[in-house]
Amino acid sequence: MPSSRRRYLRGCVATLGLATAGCLGSDGAIETTPIGTEATPESKVETATHTKSGETEPVVAWRHSLGSAITAPPISTGSHLYVGTESGTVATLATADGSQQWSYDASDPISSQPRRVGNTVFVVRGKEGLYEDHSVVALDAETGAKQWTFAPEEWWLELLGATEDMVYIGTNTDAPSKQGRTLYALTVSDGSVQWSGEIGDQYEGAVRNGAIYVASYGRFYAYDAETGEQRWTSDVSDYYSQTMVATDDTLCYAADVDETHGTLIGVAADTGATRWTHDDGFVTSTTLHDGMLYVGGPHVAALDPTTGEQRWRADQSGYVQQAPVQNGTLYTGGDVVRGHDSSTGELDWSWEPDVNVEGLMPAAVVSDTLYVDSWTDGDPRNRFKFAVDATAGTERWTFDAERDLTDLSADGSRAYVAAENTVYALE
């Protein structure tokens, strides 16, 4: 099965009552003929219908409806928002007012969140059925004109990483394996294959300091990002999805070691040799910020990523992955949202909503507002979004669409979310 589906299943396992990002989401020959832009007839933009009322209602700055269900969280690059649909439409909206700038008809469903690199937007298109080959389409970010298509006649494809010059694509099947899949390095400008190498079915990838690291089922791979020379491989037992982070000299991730579940491991980035391990009772999440490695689990902790030395450990549990440290505060999720002093671990505040949710995930900080995802056991399971004062930890509003929402995404101005065929800009 594709890695995005494995992340969803893995993330939904009940562990310490903590939500994971995967629980929140709704989640051939090469074609060369250019396709021009075309407006989507069914699309519609509306101005806000909600206004601020003390600290109880969100501001919906605008909403934009497309003609088909949105298949991945919209992604903002500042002035533009990119979104893909089940019918195959890729649309760009102006973040200022939600007006549609262009659309492209990819024919098949957009299967992952669009990604912009420079002046190019990459999308993966393809149906969910068995043996449905996927392809990567590169679009001009300003006009929506197709630049190239990569169609390797492989099953599911995954965007694993990108630089200004290269984009890295992995292949997957429904029978997870530690080998037998392919990592392609494509030139951003024309989609030509610069090199390819063997990998397994992927969870995720990371590009750092001239290398691309791929966490796959049962095995990690490291390749030179430019030449494709394999630097090392390492077998990994029961890797904890979305815990891989990389510095220039160290790769860190959580996996099972012997009989110990969720051990944090630091390996040398150039050789894969283990440098240190950290066992504090089931590490569930990691994030890097300003040279510090923050760890979530039964206890939130801060470590030196090079040596594994623990700088502090909080008494509280938490999930640390999505929201970065902002203004000296580390935001954690789980049963409640907490704000910790990032330098000492001291608890500054905690917050939980009045409505019944099973898990909370800080998604982004914009100015003095912390936006929070959530999930519940019942349907719709991703119904509520929240805004919390990032300094005081007090609730500002709850957004309830009474239907499933995508995960939140954000830029420097506001947050964005989609439900069915509609994108909302929230403030």
Side-chain angles (χ1 to χ4, degrees), residues 28 132-135 151-157 171-173 180 182 184:
E132 293 284 354
D133 291 344
H134 285 190
S135 58
E153 296 187 346
E154 298 277 0
W155 210 340
W156 291 292
L157 301 181
T171 68
N172 287 294
T173 73
T182 305
Y184 293 99

Side-chain angles (χ1 to χ4, degrees), residues 215-352:
S216 69
Y217 179 85
R219 182 173 293 169
F220 272 35
Y221 292 81
Y223 283 91
D224 185 287
E226 183 176 354
T227 67
E229 178 185 359
Q230 188 177 97
R231 294 185 175 182
W232 53 265
T233 66
S234 179
D235 285 353
V236 176
S237 176
D238 205 8
Y239 166 67
Y240 284 72
S241 184
Q242 298 181 336
T243 61
M244 182 177 68
V245 293
T247 68
D248 285 348
D249 56 9
T250 307
L251 184 73
C252 308
Y253 61 89
D256 289 354
V257 176
D258 298 326
E259 299 299 319
T260 304
H261 298 295
T263 298
L264 190 64
I265 303 165
V267 304
D270 56 349
T271 65
T274 299
R275 285 182 163 177
W276 54 263
T277 61
H278 173 79
D279 177 16
D280 191 27
F282 212 148
V283 169
T284 62
S285 51
T286 61
T287 194
L288 280 169
H289 179 77
D290 199 22
M292 189 70 71
L293 174 63
Y294 296 97
V295 179
H299 300 281
V300 176
L303 280 67
D304 183 309
T306 301
T307 65
E309 177 188 359
Q310 182 172 285
R311 300 295 177 83
W312 56 256
R313 190 184 84 160
D315 293 333
Q316 297 79 18
S317 64
Y319 198 95
V320 302
Q321 187 179 26
Q322 270 185 274
V325 176
Q326 292 285 340
N327 300 319
T329 300
L330 171 69
Y331 301 99
T332 68
D335 295 332
V336 301
V337 175
R338 297 185 175 96
H340 292 266
D341 185 301
S342 62
S343 60
T344 66
E346 181 180 353
L347 179 64
D348 293 331
W349 54 260
S350 62
W351 167 84
E352 58 184 314

Side-chain angles (χ1 to χ4, degrees), residues 24-152:
L24 302 172
S26 336
D27 260 76
I30 296 178
E31 301 173 357
T32 57
T33 305
I35 296 179
T37 60
E38 180 181 356
T40 304
E42 301 89 346
S43 66
K44 180 174 63 174
V45 63
E46 300 176 5
T47 56
T49 57
H50 292 64
T51 57
K52 283 186 177 178
S53 175
E55 295 183 345
T56 59
E57 294 186 25
V59 171
V60 179
W62 52 259
R63 67 185 70 197
H64 185 107
S65 295
L66 297 166
S68 178
I70 293 165
T71 51
I75 182 71
S76 171
T77 59
S79 59
H80 294 87
L81 193 73
Y82 300 93
V83 61
T85 73
E86 189 174 28
S87 67
T89 297
V90 182
T92 295
L93 312 178
T95 54
D97 58 10
S99 59
Q100 185 166 301
Q101 306 301 292
W102 55 257
S103 70
Y104 168 82
D105 183 8
S107 301
D108 288 324
I110 305 304
S111 60
S112 63
Q113 189 177 48
R115 178 177 298 196
R116 178 168 177 172
V117 179
N119 196 44
T120 303
V121 175
F122 299 99
V123 295
V124 178
R125 69 180 183 188
K127 299 176 182 178
E128 287 289 336
L130 298 180
Y131 307 108
E132 293 284 354
D133 291 344
H134 285 190
S135 58
V136 176
V137 182
L139 305 173
D140 185 284
E142 299 301 324
T143 68
K146 185 173 68 174
Q147 297 177 335
W148 50 262
T149 297
F150 176 67

Side-chain angles (χ1 to χ4, degrees), residues 6 9 105 122 170 205 213 256 287 341 367 391 405-406 413 421:
R6 289 199 301 272
L9 294 174
D105 183 8
F122 299 99
Y213 306 98
D256 289 354
T287 194
D341 185 301
S367 185
T391 302
L405 297 164
T406 64
S413 301
N421 69 343

